Amino acid sequence: MDSEVKKLLKSHSLRLTQSRGDVISVFLDKQVAISHSDIETEIDGKYDRVTIYRTLKSFMDKGLIHKVLDDSGATRYALCHDECSEDSHKHNHIHFKCQECDETTCLELVDIPEVKLPAGFEALESNYLVSGVCNKCNQ
Ligand SMILES: [Zn+2]
Ligand SMILES: [Zn+2]
Ligand SMILES: [Zn+2]
């Protein structure tokens, strides 16, 4: 298992296990948002659905990955690049879905615009998806 994997798990106070190491490696390889079934395909039946689900949940709880909602209705997940921790996820970036390559990426540098809510409403989480053609497909 490579040192980047170990470092990531350690810095989020997650004990190193084979399944955690394998799943986080998929995220590091892909660098785009991936779904539960993408992970299943990548690890090729090495772990069952429940193990993958638990692994993803522990990563989310510790601030290592975050949910990415896209228009397909499938939940995807992406690595957190900010200082997320067990207590809170700190990012506020938009996600971009490419209609050509079908990849969803985090645009870390683009903030979700502030939304004015009516009195009595309190925002806890926002999801902002822009779809179009990504910079790779646009070349
Ligand atoms: Zn996060
Ligand atoms: Zn694309
Ligand atoms: Zn993201």
Side-chain angles (χ1 to χ4, degrees):
M1 211 168 284
D2 72 44
S3 59
E4 196 177 357
V5 169
K6 286 183 186 156
K7 210 176 73 191
L8 262 178
L9 291 175
K10 196 162 179 235
S11 64
H12 291 83
S13 43
L14 282 158
R15 206 163 37 83
L16 178 67
T17 62
Q18 193 66 43
S19 54
R20 283 175 181 163
D22 287 345
V23 173
I24 207 70
S25 299
V26 179
F27 281 98
L28 290 168
D29 283 352
K30 297 276 177 189
Q31 295 293 341
V32 295
I34 52 178
S35 67
H36 195 289
S37 60
D38 291 334
I39 297 167
E40 275 183 71
T41 309
E42 287 300 315
I43 60 170
D44 202 16
K46 201 166 161 193
Y47 307 108
D48 60 24
R49 293 184 61 89
V50 178
T51 307
I52 298 171
Y53 177 79
R54 284 206 195 110
T55 306
L56 290 172
K57 186 164 185 319
S58 68
F59 287 171
M60 258 193 303
D61 289 348
K62 296 285 186 184
L64 190 51
I65 60 171
H66 59 282
K67 264 190 191 168
V68 177
L69 303 178
D70 76 21
D71 57 354
S72 71
T75 304
R76 299 184 199 222
Y77 305 87
L79 283 176
C80 295
H81 290 279
D82 308 80
E83 296 294 303
C84 294
S85 69
E86 209 169 333
D87 307 317
S88 65
H89 284 268
K90 291 191 166 52
H91 36 80
N92 186 39
H93 59 265
I94 72 163
H95 291 123
F96 190 92
K97 164 92 176 260
C98 176
Q99 294 178 358
E100 305 266 323
C101 65
D102 222 31
E103 284 187 346
T104 307
T105 34
C106 295
L107 296 184
E108 313 277 350
L109 299 175
V110 186
D111 280 348
I112 296 177
E114 209 178 312
V115 181
K116 267 208 178 326
L117 295 171
F121 290 83
E122 185 195 356
L124 295 174
E125 211 187 300
S126 343
N127 291 289
Y128 197 103
L129 182 77
V130 176
S131 80
V133 184
C134 76
N135 59 352
K136 279 177 276 170
C137 297
N138 227 341
Q139 268 163 21

